[in-house]
Amino acid sequence: VYFLLQSLRQIPRRTISTASRRQIENRVPEKQKLFQEDNDLPVHLKGGVMDALLYRVTMGLSVFGTAYAVYYLAVSSMPKKQ
């Protein structure tokens, strides 16, 4: 218990460093140019290959899920043969 109290007393004394260890390059202007280009792509596909892959996987899962739900509803609506 004593150790815990000592630790809690030292928390306000610690200094918080706001300096980062390395400078991060600002890439916002590059991204702004990329997304503002008029290249007839929807905004959700302008990010490149990973955006297209994520879009296709999402659409595939949506189509599969909808088909499975319709199938399960059809099977559930049929009476079981005895």
Side-chain angles (χ1 to χ4, degrees):
V1 176
Y2 177 74
F3 178 73
L4 179 64
L5 290 175
Q6 286 293 83
S7 298
L8 289 175
R9 286 184 193 146
Q10 288 179 359
I11 289 175
R13 294 182 199 159
R14 294 183 186 163
T15 58
I16 298 172
S17 175
T18 58
S20 64
R21 295 182 188 263
R22 60 183 178 156
Q23 291 293 330
I24 298 173
E25 180 184 349
N26 184 9
R27 287 187 258 156
V28 173
E30 297 172 15
K31 294 290 184 182
Q32 285 177 336
K33 286 179 186 175
L34 175 71
F35 283 96
Q36 290 175 356
E37 283 180 7
D38 187 19
N39 53 5
D40 295 331
L41 284 176
V43 72
H44 60 274
L45 295 177
K46 285 190 177 191
V49 176
M50 284 304 294
D51 281 354
L53 180 67
L54 182 62
Y55 174 74
R56 288 183 180 154
V57 168
T58 303
M59 290 306 293
L61 286 172
S62 298
V63 169
F64 174 76
T66 302
Y68 184 72
V70 169
Y71 166 77
Y72 197 76
L73 282 171
V75 168
S76 298
S77 67
M78 303 289 179
K80 290 185 178 181
K81 294 181 181 179
Q82 295 182 2

